[in-house]
Amino acid sequence: QVQLVESGGGLVQTGGSLRLSCTASGRTGSVYTMGWFRQTPGKERKFVASITFGGGDTNYAESVRGRFAISRDNSKNTVDLQMNSLKPEDTGVYYCAATIPPIDGPYTVAPAYEYWGRGTQVTVSS
């Protein structure tokens, strides 16, 4: 079993920054690609960013490219999402996700991911 726990969400003004963190526990050797998705009430969960196990291949949604940066530290079993220049449209619950071996690539679709955290709320006020 793998558990993912997100942290770092909060309320910020437009143009502000937040850094989200996700910590994996349990059978962490089974965690390969890690990614971030976000969702607002009544809306579909959308891809935000992903990073492969070695960190050499990342992918971003067009709406966040240039503003967000994903990184990971396998020694700590963590993946972070640095969010800058935040906009009201970035508001939502942010979920951390992970694939299982041997699946490892810059995936953008939810079905590629096996494990999910419970989410952390990000609210950007206008």
Side-chain angles (χ1 to χ4, degrees):
Q1 292 293 120
V2 173
Q3 296 81 45
L4 304 177
V5 179
E6 305 94 338
S7 63
L11 174 64
V12 299
Q13 293 182 328
T14 298
S17 297
L18 284 174
R19 187 176 183 88
L20 305 183
S21 294
C22 173
T23 300
S25 61
R27 297 176 61 87
T28 55
S30 297
V31 175
Y32 267 22
T33 303
M34 300 191 74
W36 289 94
F37 290 74
R38 67 188 180 192
Q39 186 174 26
T40 57
K43 301 289 186 178
E44 183 181 14
R45 189 171 299 185
K46 300 292 187 180
F47 167 77
V48 176
S50 63
I51 184 168
T52 53
F53 179 78
D57 199 354
T58 60
N59 202 0
Y60 297 92
E62 184 177 0
S63 60
V64 307
R65 189 173 294 114
R67 298 188 297 119
F68 291 11
I70 189 171
S71 61
R72 68 189 296 164
D73 185 342
N74 291 338
S75 68
K76 299 179 179 179
N77 299 313
T78 59
V79 60
D80 291 353
L81 184 69
Q82 179 65 48
M83 306 186 296
N84 300 320
S85 302
L86 284 163
K87 307 173 181 179
E89 65 194 63
D90 295 319
T91 293
V93 178
Y94 282 68
Y95 296 90
C96 177
T99 69
I100 59 173
I103 301 172
D104 189 24
Y107 308 115
T108 64
V109 294
Y113 297 86
E114 177 71 17
Y115 302 108
W116 294 84
R118 294 181 179 179
T120 185
Q121 178 70 44
V122 172
T123 302
V124 185
S125 62
S126 60

